[in-house]
Amino acid sequence: MIGKRIICISGFSQDLSRPSGIEVLWERLRQAFSGPDCCVTMHPWRSDWKAIASHIIRTGRQEIDVRVAAYSWGAGYGFIRLATALMNQGVGVKVAVLSDPVYRNAWMLGRSLWSPILGEPVISIPENVGKVLYL
C-alpha cells in the first residue's frame, strides 16, 4: 500500500503531448521522492478526478498523505475536483501548492473571467485541504 501521493496537475494548454513546466516539476519530484511508499503522478487538468480519487484510496494506506502541485486550470479546476472527490470519501489533502490558479466554472466557461455584474470569480478550497501555498 502507498503511504504518500504527490500529484502534479497541468494547466489549460498543457497535456502529455509536449513538455511543460509541470512535467519538469513532476520529473524532479519523481526523482527525489518516488519509492515503494511514495507515488508521484502527473495528470491533465481535465482528468476523471473521481476515478483518480478512488484509485488513490484503493491503493493507499488508511492514513494516506496526499500532496498536490497544480498550475492554472489544474489548480482552479482539477485540484478542486480532486480534493472534493477525496473529501467525499473521507480523505484529506495535506498540502497544495497552487501556481497561478485560474477559476474555471464547469457549466459556464464565460464565468471563468471577471464580470462587471458578478465580480471576481472565487476559487473555494474544500475543507479537507490542510495547507495551501500560492505562487
Side-chain angles (χ1 to χ4, degrees):
M1 299 300 257
I2 298 168
K4 181 185 282 186
R5 291 274 184 168
I6 303 172
I7 301 158
C8 298
I9 307 173
S10 65
F12 169 68
S13 63
Q14 300 173 330
D15 59 30
L16 300 176
S17 68
R18 57 185 188 272
S20 67
I22 214 76
E23 183 175 81
V24 171
L25 176 63
W26 164 78
E27 181 63 25
R28 289 180 181 168
L29 290 169
R30 191 187 65 75
Q31 288 176 358
F33 296 104
S34 279
D37 194 50
C38 182
C39 181
V40 181
T41 57
M42 185 178 88
H43 303 278
W45 67 271
R46 61 183 171 273
S47 295
D48 182 345
W49 296 111
K50 288 181 183 178
I52 292 168
S54 293
H55 175 75
I56 289 168
I57 293 162
R58 205 172 46 251
T59 60
R61 289 189 186 157
Q62 181 90 16
E63 297 294 323
I64 190 162
D65 178 350
V66 178
R67 298 167 188 236
V68 177
Y71 171 68
S72 181
W73 280 5
Y77 181 85
F79 162 68
I80 300 301
R81 298 297 182 281
L82 174 61
T84 300
L86 289 169
M87 181 174 63
N88 291 340
Q89 296 194 44
V91 174
V93 176
K94 189 170 188 175
V95 178
V97 178
L98 308 180
S99 177
D100 191 21
V102 176
Y103 176 86
R104 181 182 188 279
N105 189 313
W107 53 271
M108 188 171 70
L109 181 57
R111 182 61 188 122
S112 297
L113 305 173
W114 178 86
S115 161
I117 297 170
L118 301 174
E120 190 75 25
V122 175
I123 298 171
S124 297
I125 305 298
E127 297 174 5
N128 65 323
V129 179
K131 184 174 185 179
V132 179
L133 303 169
Y134 295 98
L135 301 175

